[in-house]
Amino acid sequence: METKTDNIIKGIAAAPGIAIAKAFIYEKERESINDDSITNVDEALQNLETALAQSKKELRKIFSVAVDKLGEKRAAIFDAQIMILDDPILLSTIQNRIRIEMKVPEFVVEDEISKYTRIMSASNEPYMKERSHDIEDIKNRILRNLKKKKLKSRITNDVIVITSNLSPSDTVLFARSNVKGYATDFGGLTSHAAILARSLNIPAVVGLHDATNKIKDGDVVIVDGFFGQVIINPDEKQLASYQEKLEKLSEHDEELNKIKDLPSQTLDGREVKLLANLDVSSEMDFILHNRAQGIGLVRTEQLFEEYEEFPDEEKQYQIYKNIAEQIYPDTVIIRTFDIGGDKVLPVDLHEPNPMLGWRGIRLLLDSPDLFKVQIKAILRASSHKNIKLMLPMIASIYEITESKRLIEECKKELSANGINYDKNIGVGIMIEIPSAAVMAKEFASEVEFVSIGTNDLIQYLLAVDRGNDIVSKQYQEFHPAVVRTLKHIIKASKETGAYVSMCGEMAADPFAVPLLIGLGLDSLSVSASAIPLIKKIIRSLNYKELQSLADECITMKSEKEISQHLHNFFNTKIQDIIKKLIRG
Ligand code: PEP
Ligand code: MG
């Protein structure tokens, strides 16, 4: 029998693993509108009024949360949305058309508001284009409320979710329904949805372009998160081959299990600590199970995803304390909220360029109340001295000194209230912006440790959006500029005595690991699921050889050369078992 290929679609391998299950097509709030006639005008107008009132109620709630957490200025956008709902001209036009045309309110609302969005999205002004999304949002909100629908938050168990684009909150939310895999039309390797899928150990393929067109609800699909492909309604041969792969994978897991309790060091004795990244609290069991030597990154903004709002100081304290207790006596590095950019804000600011906008430390320093609540919660949880605090998106020395000043202020306030905390809590920074890389020596001398965030560093260094699959070819971790920048960061930071780690996704790439260790990193922080394999690789190598490997890569001029060199090294130096593991 010929092997079928016309039922295979290719995308980007975003989270490793293989899943076979029924497809669940997840469509976001796309309301179908008909132009049915009405017989009772009063009833239709009443329905419209109720939907508008409900929409206003929702927006007021968002607005008040926004004011509370982000201040009046940033919340203004929701005020503007409420004002649109109150616009007498728009309202009377809609009401009059319902009376005269005798059409259902959905049809008139859709038709009338779409006139605005069409004009705005056709504009050459980026600001106007952005505002058209606002208006579209309002329209969808009213339409949903006219249909008296609630947002979908639960799905059937044990399915593969097929959707156009996955948000981080969808990823977490669906994981609760025991989702087997994800396949999306859009998205890139380092999008947060992809990172979360990896953390949650859910196979995912993103950037498939037309998965939602080609796959129907209930189709059997195979998500191959190793090769970045999705097979729709596999034939017997395809199914049998993947079932065999699944069996092999579980044998490999057993193989890796055997080295779980052995140290993470090279053949010639260089220790490289293996830490875990924690995105959702449910990962803790897996982190402990895979014997992480600590947690190198807690993405606290994900707590916001889980809790749907910024948890207050007490709630945050409980969460951090709980993590610290579970990982004790090892250490946990808690990164303060890195909100904004591609990560969900409590409000949608519609910034023209969010990746270069109000995110990470910028937002925190502009919202000292929010920042101090988090610092105090972290300090209070640190009394057993196994917590460190890390600052995201640092671009200037002021951001470090100002954050340190706020940390001192929080310490004083806690001391004044007789509250216990680690007086010498270690403070570190993420190096993920080129300016911080250039200034690594000066910045590192301000802190105890630095952690390299390659997901953002590569994006900003190469000017390639980390979440955009159209340019995913240009997102190159082995670009010579990236490799040389890493070398500079590690060398310059170490000269100050700072401890240097990496928590970006590059640290979990088996082909990158020999280079990273050769460049001198002290530790790698990766998804818990990657720890056993990375340990196996580390234990197969000689540090001396890795230093030479790094020296060779530094002299190379193209990504192709470096990538080829690292692949050759891998193929000759690393045992067959690992090669097989990676090839699935
Ligand atoms: C990074 O940028 O590499 C990083 C670890 O941070 P995040 O992915 O959360 O932006
Ligand atoms: Mg980052």
Side-chain angles (χ1 to χ4, degrees):
M1 191 165 50
E2 281 275 296
T3 308
K4 247 173 114 168
T5 51
D6 59 356
N7 61 343
I8 301 177
I9 47 176
K10 297 208 181 271
I12 301 165
I18 289 166
I20 308 175
K22 287 219 163 109
F24 173 89
I25 311 287
Y26 173 61
E27 280 179 86
K28 279 191 195 171
E29 280 188 66
R30 213 180 293 149
E31 304 293 349
S32 61
I33 306 294
N34 60 51
D35 62 350
D36 288 351
S37 299
I38 51 165
T39 48
N40 188 337
V41 172
D42 288 341
E43 192 187 355
L45 290 175
Q46 182 56 47
N47 286 346
L48 174 70
E49 203 171 305
T50 313
L52 290 172
Q54 177 61 22
S55 304
K56 259 187 251 175
K57 201 168 137 196
E58 289 174 8
L59 281 169
R60 273 200 211 100
K61 193 166 166 212
I62 300 174
F63 177 68
S64 70
V65 175
V67 171
D68 200 25
K69 306 295 180 192
L70 298 160
E72 294 274 347
K73 213 167 108 199
R74 302 279 170 182
I77 178 170
F78 292 100
D79 209 16
Q81 289 203 357
I82 296 171
M83 276 160 65
I84 294 172
L85 283 177
D86 279 330
D87 177 6
I89 298 178
L90 177 68
L91 271 187
S92 61
T93 311
I94 293 174
Q95 285 163 338
N96 284 339
R97 279 191 60 187
I98 293 174
R99 279 193 201 100
I100 296 165
E101 295 172 31
M102 301 283 283
K103 294 284 183 202
V104 284
E106 294 93 294
F107 173 76
V108 182
V109 166
E110 154 77 26
D111 193 53
E112 208 45 50
I113 301 188
S114 294
K115 282 184 197 160
Y116 290 86
T117 53
R118 269 196 299 274
I119 297 167
M120 291 168 91
S121 58
S123 160
N124 288 330
E125 279 279 315
Y127 177 76
M128 285 298 268
K129 271 193 205 296
E130 280 302 323
R131 295 288 297 160
S132 78
H133 295 306
D134 280 5
I135 313 285
E136 186 81 22
D137 270 1
I138 298 176
K139 185 183 81 184
N140 288 335
R141 191 178 296 282
I142 305 172
L143 291 177
R144 179 168 51 77
N145 283 322
L146 271 170
K147 295 196 165 189
K148 300 191 170 48
K149 274 201 205 160
K150 292 223 156 100
L151 280 173
K152 191 180 273 178
S153 64
R154 287 254 166 219
I155 56 164
T156 338
N157 277 338
D158 300 327
V159 289
I160 288 173
V161 172
I162 317 287
T163 184
S164 56
N165 210 349
L166 205 56
S167 75
S169 50
D170 294 336
T171 321
V172 179
L173 206 65
F174 292 156
R176 293 182 200 164
S177 306
N178 200 19
V179 157
K180 296 287 173 222
Y182 289 114
T184 71
D185 291 341
F186 305 105
L189 191 59
T190 60
S191 62
H192 276 270
I195 293 176
L196 276 175
R198 282 196 284 282
S199 312
L200 294 163
N201 220 13
I202 300 173
V205 179
V206 299
L208 287 154
H209 298 292
D210 51 2
T212 50
N213 273 336
K214 292 200 165 148
I215 303 172
K216 288 187 290 307
D217 238 343
D219 278 350
V220 172
V221 286
I222 299 176
V223 168
D224 181 341
F226 292 108
F227 282 97
Q229 60 186 24
V230 171
I231 299 152
I232 309 162
N233 292 322
D235 62 20
E236 269 175 39
K237 200 171 165 190
Q238 288 170 320
L239 204 55
S241 135
Y242 270 95
Q243 258 145 3
E244 197 186 317
K245 279 190 185 183
L246 271 177
E247 274 163 34
K248 261 203 223 148
L249 273 176
S250 73
E251 279 168 30
H252 293 147
D253 282 347
E254 275 172 32
E255 186 64 31
L256 290 177
N257 243 336
K258 290 185 199 149
I259 60 159
K260 226 162 56 180
D261 293 312
L262 299 177
S264 167
Q265 62 182 36
T266 59
L267 293 169
D268 50 352
R270 169 147 177 112
E271 203 210 347
V272 182
K273 270 201 169 173
L274 272 180
L275 311 172
N277 292 349
L278 183 133
D279 291 347
V280 278
S281 19
S282 55
E283 282 177 287
M284 198 63 182
D285 287 347
F286 203 40
I287 289 174
L288 296 172
H289 176 261
N290 279 353
R291 306 285 194 274
Q293 294 167 277
I295 298 176
L297 167 66
V298 178
R299 287 188 169 95
T300 54
E301 60 280 1
Q302 295 299 343
L303 303 176
F304 164 64
E305 294 278 333
E306 276 183 88
Y307 291 90
E308 283 162 17
E309 60 180 23
F310 288 111
D312 62 18
E313 184 185 312
E314 185 58 29
K315 181 81 200 163
Q316 288 191 44
Y317 160 67
Q318 293 294 346
I319 296 167
Y320 305 146
K321 183 166 86 91
N322 197 10
I323 297 172
E325 276 172 4
Q326 291 189 68
I327 202 74
Y328 190 84
D330 289 323
T331 298
V332 48
I333 295 176
I334 299 182
R335 183 175 76 181
T336 54
F337 292 129
D338 182 11
I339 328 159
D342 59 337
K343 297 169 195 183
V344 176
L345 275 169
V347 294
D348 205 346
L349 292 176
H350 293 278
E351 287 183 287
N353 212 337
M355 289 292 195
L356 305 179
W358 202 50
R359 65 171 288 197
I361 199 70
R362 301 167 188 179
L363 187 149
L364 293 175
L365 289 176
D366 283 350
S367 327
D369 292 344
L370 175 83
F371 195 14
K372 281 178 72 178
V373 163
Q374 188 174 30
I375 296 171
K376 282 190 194 163
I378 296 172
L379 284 170
R380 283 173 58 194
S382 71
S383 58
H384 296 298
K385 303 192 189 326
N386 71 327
I387 290 187
K388 293 180 194 296
L389 187 152
M390 180 157 71
L391 307 165
M393 293 292 293
I394 293 290
S396 72
I397 202 143
Y398 165 79
E399 290 162 344
I400 307 175
T401 51
E402 182 61 9
S403 300
K404 288 200 320 195
R405 189 187 69 73
L406 285 173
I407 295 170
E408 287 311 309
E409 208 171 280
C410 291
K411 284 184 181 174
K412 278 203 195 101
E413 286 171 24
L414 290 181
S415 296
N417 289 318
I419 296 170
N420 203 10
Y421 60 90
D422 179 4
K423 304 229 163 16
N424 299 314
I425 189 167
V427 175
I429 54 166
M430 294 281 301
I431 297 202
E432 52 185 341
I433 295 182
S435 60
V438 172
M439 299 296 288
K441 188 165 179 183
E442 288 75 8
F443 287 13
S445 64
E446 289 287 333
V447 288
E448 184 189 293
F449 66 94
V450 307
S451 188
I452 306 174
T454 44
N455 304 342
D456 278 312
L457 184 62
I458 297 171
Q459 143 164 290
Y460 295 125
L461 197 59
L462 305 182
V464 182
D465 182 344
R466 63 191 265 183
N468 181 348
D469 66 291
I470 299 171
V471 285
S472 62
K473 268 209 311 282
Q474 277 82 24
Y475 188 93
Q476 299 169 339
E477 56 185 25
F478 299 134
H479 190 297
V482 172
V483 176
R484 290 181 196 194
T485 304
L486 292 179
K487 180 174 165 99
H488 169 73
I489 298 171
I490 297 168
K491 188 167 173 285
S493 305
K494 285 194 140 188
E495 276 167 19
T496 72
Y499 183 87
V500 188
S501 184
M502 176 180 285
C503 59
E505 289 307 306
M506 188 175 183
D509 177 352
F511 295 101
V513 168
L515 167 71
L516 299 178
I517 299 173
L519 287 171
L521 279 175
D522 297 312
S523 70
L524 302 173
S525 190
V526 298
S527 309
S529 59
I531 288 178
L533 175 60
I534 303 293
K535 191 194 278 186
K536 181 93 183 162
I537 294 173
I538 292 173
R539 290 179 56 80
S540 319
L541 298 167
N542 258 305
Y543 180 51
K544 284 226 162 55
E545 275 184 66
L546 302 184
Q547 284 178 304
S548 313
L549 176 77
D551 288 344
E552 286 149 18
C553 290
I554 288 296
T555 63
M556 294 176 175
K557 284 205 272 288
S558 72
E559 188 265 345
K560 204 169 158 205
E561 248 181 304
I562 298 176
S563 178
Q564 193 64 55
H565 196 54
L566 291 175
H567 279 74
N568 289 344
F569 179 87
F570 196 91
N571 291 337
T572 49
K573 296 285 174 198
I574 297 177
Q575 299 155 21
D576 276 358
I577 165 95
I578 299 176
K579 281 193 254 166
K580 269 193 248 146
L581 280 172
I582 291 166
R583 291 185 185 145

PDB file of all heavy atoms in Angstrom, residues 190 192 195 277 297 299 301 335 338 342-343 359 430 432 452-457 466 503-505, ligand 1:
ATOM      1  N   THR A 190       8.152  30.664  19.560  1.00  0.00           N
ATOM      2  CA  THR A 190       8.322  31.219  20.900  1.00  0.00           C
ATOM      3  C   THR A 190       7.103  32.019  21.348  1.00  0.00           C
ATOM      4  O   THR A 190       7.188  32.818  22.259  1.00  0.00           O
ATOM      5  CB  THR A 190       9.567  32.106  20.994  1.00  0.00           C
ATOM      6  OG1 THR A 190       9.385  33.160  20.048  1.00  0.00           O
ATOM      7  CG2 THR A 190      10.832  31.347  20.699  1.00  0.00           C
ATOM      8  N   HIS A 192       3.783  32.631  23.328  1.00  0.00           N
ATOM      9  CA  HIS A 192       3.558  32.119  24.681  1.00  0.00           C
ATOM     10  C   HIS A 192       2.683  30.884  24.708  1.00  0.00           C
ATOM     11  O   HIS A 192       2.848  30.013  25.564  1.00  0.00           O
ATOM     12  CB  HIS A 192       3.029  33.232  25.588  1.00  0.00           C
ATOM     13  CG  HIS A 192       4.184  33.991  26.074  1.00  0.00           C
ATOM     14  ND1 HIS A 192       4.833  33.658  27.230  1.00  0.00           N
ATOM     15  CD2 HIS A 192       4.904  34.948  25.480  1.00  0.00           C
ATOM     16  CE1 HIS A 192       5.879  34.418  27.331  1.00  0.00           C
ATOM     17  NE2 HIS A 192       5.954  35.215  26.281  1.00  0.00           N
ATOM     18  N   ILE A 195       5.103  28.059  24.222  1.00  0.00           N
ATOM     19  CA  ILE A 195       5.888  27.799  25.434  1.00  0.00           C
ATOM     20  C   ILE A 195       5.037  27.080  26.466  1.00  0.00           C
ATOM     21  O   ILE A 195       5.458  26.110  27.098  1.00  0.00           O
ATOM     22  CB  ILE A 195       6.453  29.116  26.021  1.00  0.00           C
ATOM     23  CG1 ILE A 195       7.477  29.702  25.058  1.00  0.00           C
ATOM     24  CG2 ILE A 195       7.082  28.893  27.394  1.00  0.00           C
ATOM     25  CD1 ILE A 195       8.034  31.044  25.472  1.00  0.00           C
ATOM     26  N   ASN A 277      11.633  25.823  34.241  1.00  0.00           N
ATOM     27  CA  ASN A 277      10.770  26.999  34.110  1.00  0.00           C
ATOM     28  C   ASN A 277       9.375  26.603  34.575  1.00  0.00           C
ATOM     29  O   ASN A 277       8.907  25.503  34.259  1.00  0.00           O
ATOM     30  CB  ASN A 277      10.676  27.439  32.644  1.00  0.00           C
ATOM     31  CG  ASN A 277      11.991  27.997  32.125  1.00  0.00           C
ATOM     32  OD1 ASN A 277      12.918  28.242  32.905  1.00  0.00           O
ATOM     33  ND2 ASN A 277      12.085  28.187  30.826  1.00  0.00           N
ATOM     34  N   LEU A 297      12.975  30.031  36.563  1.00  0.00           N
ATOM     35  CA  LEU A 297      12.083  31.095  36.094  1.00  0.00           C
ATOM     36  C   LEU A 297      10.640  30.758  36.445  1.00  0.00           C
ATOM     37  O   LEU A 297      10.118  29.730  36.016  1.00  0.00           O
ATOM     38  CB  LEU A 297      12.199  31.244  34.565  1.00  0.00           C
ATOM     39  CG  LEU A 297      11.127  32.089  33.862  1.00  0.00           C
ATOM     40  CD1 LEU A 297      11.219  33.554  34.264  1.00  0.00           C
ATOM     41  CD2 LEU A 297      11.246  31.978  32.342  1.00  0.00           C
ATOM     42  N   ARG A 299       7.204  32.386  35.619  1.00  0.00           N
ATOM     43  CA  ARG A 299       6.572  33.460  34.849  1.00  0.00           C
ATOM     44  C   ARG A 299       5.313  33.883  35.620  1.00  0.00           C
ATOM     45  O   ARG A 299       4.221  33.354  35.374  1.00  0.00           O
ATOM     46  CB  ARG A 299       6.193  32.979  33.455  1.00  0.00           C
ATOM     47  CG  ARG A 299       7.384  32.798  32.513  1.00  0.00           C
ATOM     48  CD  ARG A 299       6.899  32.505  31.107  1.00  0.00           C
ATOM     49  NE  ARG A 299       7.964  32.573  30.132  1.00  0.00           N
ATOM     50  CZ  ARG A 299       8.664  31.513  29.699  1.00  0.00           C
ATOM     51  NH1 ARG A 299       8.415  30.321  30.158  1.00  0.00           N
ATOM     52  NH2 ARG A 299       9.612  31.671  28.790  1.00  0.00           N
ATOM     53  N   GLU A 301       3.421  36.319  35.492  1.00  0.00           N
ATOM     54  CA  GLU A 301       2.278  36.859  34.731  1.00  0.00           C
ATOM     55  C   GLU A 301       1.295  35.752  34.365  1.00  0.00           C
ATOM     56  O   GLU A 301       0.124  35.999  34.104  1.00  0.00           O
ATOM     57  CB  GLU A 301       2.741  37.621  33.481  1.00  0.00           C
ATOM     58  CG  GLU A 301       3.533  36.834  32.448  1.00  0.00           C
ATOM     59  CD  GLU A 301       4.998  36.659  32.815  1.00  0.00           C
ATOM     60  OE1 GLU A 301       5.394  37.134  33.887  1.00  0.00           O
ATOM     61  OE2 GLU A 301       5.736  36.038  32.025  1.00  0.00           O
ATOM     62  N   ARG A 335      10.245  35.704  38.824  1.00  0.00           N
ATOM     63  CA  ARG A 335      10.358  36.890  37.980  1.00  0.00           C
ATOM     64  C   ARG A 335       9.112  37.746  38.170  1.00  0.00           C
ATOM     65  O   ARG A 335       7.989  37.235  38.143  1.00  0.00           O
ATOM     66  CB  ARG A 335      10.477  36.481  36.505  1.00  0.00           C
ATOM     67  CG  ARG A 335      10.670  37.678  35.587  1.00  0.00           C
ATOM     68  CD  ARG A 335      10.898  37.255  34.154  1.00  0.00           C
ATOM     69  NE  ARG A 335       9.653  36.828  33.531  1.00  0.00           N
ATOM     70  CZ  ARG A 335       9.575  36.393  32.272  1.00  0.00           C
ATOM     71  NH1 ARG A 335      10.683  36.302  31.544  1.00  0.00           N
ATOM     72  NH2 ARG A 335       8.426  36.031  31.757  1.00  0.00           N
ATOM     73  N   ASP A 338       5.914  40.104  33.885  1.00  0.00           N
ATOM     74  CA  ASP A 338       6.335  40.585  32.564  1.00  0.00           C
ATOM     75  C   ASP A 338       5.077  40.691  31.718  1.00  0.00           C
ATOM     76  O   ASP A 338       4.779  39.829  30.907  1.00  0.00           O
ATOM     77  CB  ASP A 338       7.345  39.600  31.950  1.00  0.00           C
ATOM     78  CG  ASP A 338       7.852  40.073  30.598  1.00  0.00           C
ATOM     79  OD1 ASP A 338       7.593  41.243  30.249  1.00  0.00           O
ATOM     80  OD2 ASP A 338       8.507  39.289  29.893  1.00  0.00           O
ATOM     81  N   ASP A 342       3.621  40.446  23.864  1.00  0.00           N
ATOM     82  CA  ASP A 342       2.722  39.393  23.377  1.00  0.00           C
ATOM     83  C   ASP A 342       1.996  38.719  24.528  1.00  0.00           C
ATOM     84  O   ASP A 342       1.251  37.779  24.344  1.00  0.00           O
ATOM     85  CB  ASP A 342       3.513  38.353  22.567  1.00  0.00           C
ATOM     86  CG  ASP A 342       4.620  37.705  23.381  1.00  0.00           C
ATOM     87  OD1 ASP A 342       5.061  38.322  24.374  1.00  0.00           O
ATOM     88  OD2 ASP A 342       5.047  36.604  23.015  1.00  0.00           O
ATOM     89  N   LYS A 343       2.279  39.205  25.761  1.00  0.00           N
ATOM     90  CA  LYS A 343       1.609  38.581  26.898  1.00  0.00           C
ATOM     91  C   LYS A 343       0.374  39.389  27.250  1.00  0.00           C
ATOM     92  O   LYS A 343       0.366  40.601  27.113  1.00  0.00           O
ATOM     93  CB  LYS A 343       2.570  38.543  28.082  1.00  0.00           C
ATOM     94  CG  LYS A 343       3.744  37.678  27.726  1.00  0.00           C
ATOM     95  CD  LYS A 343       4.831  37.788  28.711  1.00  0.00           C
ATOM     96  CE  LYS A 343       6.053  37.192  28.066  1.00  0.00           C
ATOM     97  NZ  LYS A 343       7.177  37.167  28.948  1.00  0.00           N
ATOM     98  N   ARG A 359       5.794  47.233  28.422  1.00  0.00           N
ATOM     99  CA  ARG A 359       5.812  45.874  28.933  1.00  0.00           C
ATOM    100  C   ARG A 359       6.898  45.706  29.990  1.00  0.00           C
ATOM    101  O   ARG A 359       7.772  46.550  30.129  1.00  0.00           O
ATOM    102  CB  ARG A 359       5.973  44.838  27.794  1.00  0.00           C
ATOM    103  CG  ARG A 359       7.271  44.882  27.040  1.00  0.00           C
ATOM    104  CD  ARG A 359       7.408  43.668  26.087  1.00  0.00           C
ATOM    105  NE  ARG A 359       7.641  42.430  26.827  1.00  0.00           N
ATOM    106  CZ  ARG A 359       8.109  41.313  26.272  1.00  0.00           C
ATOM    107  NH1 ARG A 359       8.374  41.271  24.989  1.00  0.00           N
ATOM    108  NH2 ARG A 359       8.321  40.241  26.994  1.00  0.00           N
ATOM    109  N   MET A 430      16.858  39.790  33.873  1.00  0.00           N
ATOM    110  CA  MET A 430      16.832  39.091  32.595  1.00  0.00           C
ATOM    111  C   MET A 430      17.690  39.911  31.638  1.00  0.00           C
ATOM    112  O   MET A 430      17.594  41.141  31.610  1.00  0.00           O
ATOM    113  CB  MET A 430      15.412  39.087  32.010  1.00  0.00           C
ATOM    114  CG  MET A 430      14.383  38.311  32.750  1.00  0.00           C
ATOM    115  SD  MET A 430      14.459  36.547  32.436  1.00  0.00           S
ATOM    116  CE  MET A 430      14.220  36.428  30.675  1.00  0.00           C
ATOM    117  N   GLU A 432      17.638  40.290  27.941  1.00  0.00           N
ATOM    118  CA  GLU A 432      16.825  39.882  26.793  1.00  0.00           C
ATOM    119  C   GLU A 432      16.606  41.029  25.815  1.00  0.00           C
ATOM    120  O   GLU A 432      15.860  40.898  24.855  1.00  0.00           O
ATOM    121  CB  GLU A 432      15.486  39.301  27.271  1.00  0.00           C
ATOM    122  CG  GLU A 432      14.716  40.175  28.234  1.00  0.00           C
ATOM    123  CD  GLU A 432      13.453  39.501  28.775  1.00  0.00           C
ATOM    124  OE1 GLU A 432      12.977  38.541  28.176  1.00  0.00           O
ATOM    125  OE2 GLU A 432      12.952  39.977  29.814  1.00  0.00           O
ATOM    126  N   ILE A 452      19.699  34.771  30.773  1.00  0.00           N
ATOM    127  CA  ILE A 452      19.565  35.222  29.385  1.00  0.00           C
ATOM    128  C   ILE A 452      18.239  34.731  28.810  1.00  0.00           C
ATOM    129  O   ILE A 452      17.956  33.528  28.811  1.00  0.00           O
ATOM    130  CB  ILE A 452      20.742  34.710  28.525  1.00  0.00           C
ATOM    131  CG1 ILE A 452      22.076  35.112  29.174  1.00  0.00           C
ATOM    132  CG2 ILE A 452      20.644  35.258  27.109  1.00  0.00           C
ATOM    133  CD1 ILE A 452      23.298  34.531  28.481  1.00  0.00           C
ATOM    134  N   GLY A 453      17.441  35.681  28.349  1.00  0.00           N
ATOM    135  CA  GLY A 453      16.143  35.341  27.768  1.00  0.00           C
ATOM    136  C   GLY A 453      16.271  35.366  26.253  1.00  0.00           C
ATOM    137  O   GLY A 453      16.064  36.401  25.617  1.00  0.00           O
ATOM    138  N   THR A 454      16.621  34.228  25.694  1.00  0.00           N
ATOM    139  CA  THR A 454      16.881  34.215  24.246  1.00  0.00           C
ATOM    140  C   THR A 454      15.617  34.430  23.419  1.00  0.00           C
ATOM    141  O   THR A 454      15.706  34.884  22.280  1.00  0.00           O
ATOM    142  CB  THR A 454      17.515  32.876  23.820  1.00  0.00           C
ATOM    143  OG1 THR A 454      16.811  31.822  24.466  1.00  0.00           O
ATOM    144  CG2 THR A 454      18.972  32.830  24.173  1.00  0.00           C
ATOM    145  N   ASN A 455      14.463  34.109  23.984  1.00  0.00           N
ATOM    146  CA  ASN A 455      13.234  34.272  23.186  1.00  0.00           C
ATOM    147  C   ASN A 455      13.089  35.724  22.733  1.00  0.00           C
ATOM    148  O   ASN A 455      12.797  36.002  21.580  1.00  0.00           O
ATOM    149  CB  ASN A 455      11.997  33.886  24.006  1.00  0.00           C
ATOM    150  CG  ASN A 455      12.086  32.488  24.554  1.00  0.00           C
ATOM    151  OD1 ASN A 455      12.889  31.701  24.065  1.00  0.00           O
ATOM    152  ND2 ASN A 455      11.301  32.177  25.558  1.00  0.00           N
ATOM    153  N   ASP A 456      13.295  36.624  23.680  1.00  0.00           N
ATOM    154  CA  ASP A 456      13.207  38.039  23.327  1.00  0.00           C
ATOM    155  C   ASP A 456      14.512  38.550  22.740  1.00  0.00           C
ATOM    156  O   ASP A 456      14.500  39.365  21.824  1.00  0.00           O
ATOM    157  CB  ASP A 456      12.830  38.870  24.560  1.00  0.00           C
ATOM    158  CG  ASP A 456      11.327  38.837  24.789  1.00  0.00           C
ATOM    159  OD1 ASP A 456      10.591  39.050  23.815  1.00  0.00           O
ATOM    160  OD2 ASP A 456      10.910  38.570  25.927  1.00  0.00           O
ATOM    161  N   LEU A 457      15.624  38.086  23.275  1.00  0.00           N
ATOM    162  CA  LEU A 457      16.914  38.599  22.792  1.00  0.00           C
ATOM    163  C   LEU A 457      17.042  38.392  21.277  1.00  0.00           C
ATOM    164  O   LEU A 457      17.443  39.303  20.548  1.00  0.00           O
ATOM    165  CB  LEU A 457      18.069  37.905  23.529  1.00  0.00           C
ATOM    166  CG  LEU A 457      19.455  38.434  23.184  1.00  0.00           C
ATOM    167  CD1 LEU A 457      19.606  39.902  23.565  1.00  0.00           C
ATOM    168  CD2 LEU A 457      20.545  37.620  23.880  1.00  0.00           C
ATOM    169  N   ARG A 466       8.932  37.156  17.411  1.00  0.00           N
ATOM    170  CA  ARG A 466       9.028  35.776  17.884  1.00  0.00           C
ATOM    171  C   ARG A 466       7.761  34.957  17.660  1.00  0.00           C
ATOM    172  O   ARG A 466       7.801  33.728  17.670  1.00  0.00           O
ATOM    173  CB  ARG A 466       9.399  35.752  19.381  1.00  0.00           C
ATOM    174  CG  ARG A 466       8.372  36.382  20.272  1.00  0.00           C
ATOM    175  CD  ARG A 466       8.876  36.587  21.694  1.00  0.00           C
ATOM    176  NE  ARG A 466       8.499  35.505  22.589  1.00  0.00           N
ATOM    177  CZ  ARG A 466       8.764  35.487  23.885  1.00  0.00           C
ATOM    178  NH1 ARG A 466       9.454  36.488  24.435  1.00  0.00           N
ATOM    179  NH2 ARG A 466       8.397  34.499  24.642  1.00  0.00           N
ATOM    180  N   CYS A 503      17.292  31.106  30.468  1.00  0.00           N
ATOM    181  CA  CYS A 503      15.958  30.534  30.644  1.00  0.00           C
ATOM    182  C   CYS A 503      15.114  30.621  29.386  1.00  0.00           C
ATOM    183  O   CYS A 503      13.943  30.277  29.395  1.00  0.00           O
ATOM    184  CB  CYS A 503      15.243  31.171  31.833  1.00  0.00           C
ATOM    185  SG  CYS A 503      15.053  32.943  31.672  1.00  0.00           S
ATOM    186  N   GLY A 504      15.708  31.098  28.281  1.00  0.00           N
ATOM    187  CA  GLY A 504      14.972  31.114  27.006  1.00  0.00           C
ATOM    188  C   GLY A 504      14.901  29.704  26.432  1.00  0.00           C
ATOM    189  O   GLY A 504      15.596  28.787  26.894  1.00  0.00           O
ATOM    190  N   GLU A 505      14.083  29.553  25.398  1.00  0.00           N
ATOM    191  CA  GLU A 505      13.851  28.225  24.819  1.00  0.00           C
ATOM    192  C   GLU A 505      15.101  27.605  24.203  1.00  0.00           C
ATOM    193  O   GLU A 505      15.201  26.397  24.052  1.00  0.00           O
ATOM    194  CB  GLU A 505      12.751  28.313  23.752  1.00  0.00           C
ATOM    195  CG  GLU A 505      11.380  28.539  24.324  1.00  0.00           C
ATOM    196  CD  GLU A 505      11.021  27.524  25.397  1.00  0.00           C
ATOM    197  OE1 GLU A 505      11.103  26.322  25.119  1.00  0.00           O
ATOM    198  OE2 GLU A 505      10.680  27.942  26.517  1.00  0.00           O
TER     199      GLU A 505
HETATM  200  C1  PEP B   1      12.814  35.038  27.101  1.00  0.00           C
HETATM  201  O1  PEP B   1      12.491  36.105  26.578  1.00  0.00           O
HETATM  202  O2  PEP B   1      13.673  34.262  26.626  1.00  0.00           O
HETATM  203  C2  PEP B   1      12.147  34.590  28.338  1.00  0.00           C
HETATM  204  C3  PEP B   1      12.548  33.533  28.995  1.00  0.00           C
HETATM  205  O3  PEP B   1      11.099  35.307  28.737  1.00  0.00           O
HETATM  206  P1  PEP B   1       9.642  35.173  28.095  1.00  0.00           P
HETATM  207  O4  PEP B   1       9.658  34.019  27.133  1.00  0.00           O
HETATM  208  O5  PEP B   1       8.719  34.982  29.241  1.00  0.00           O
HETATM  209  O6  PEP B   1       9.483  36.490  27.402  1.00  0.00           O
END
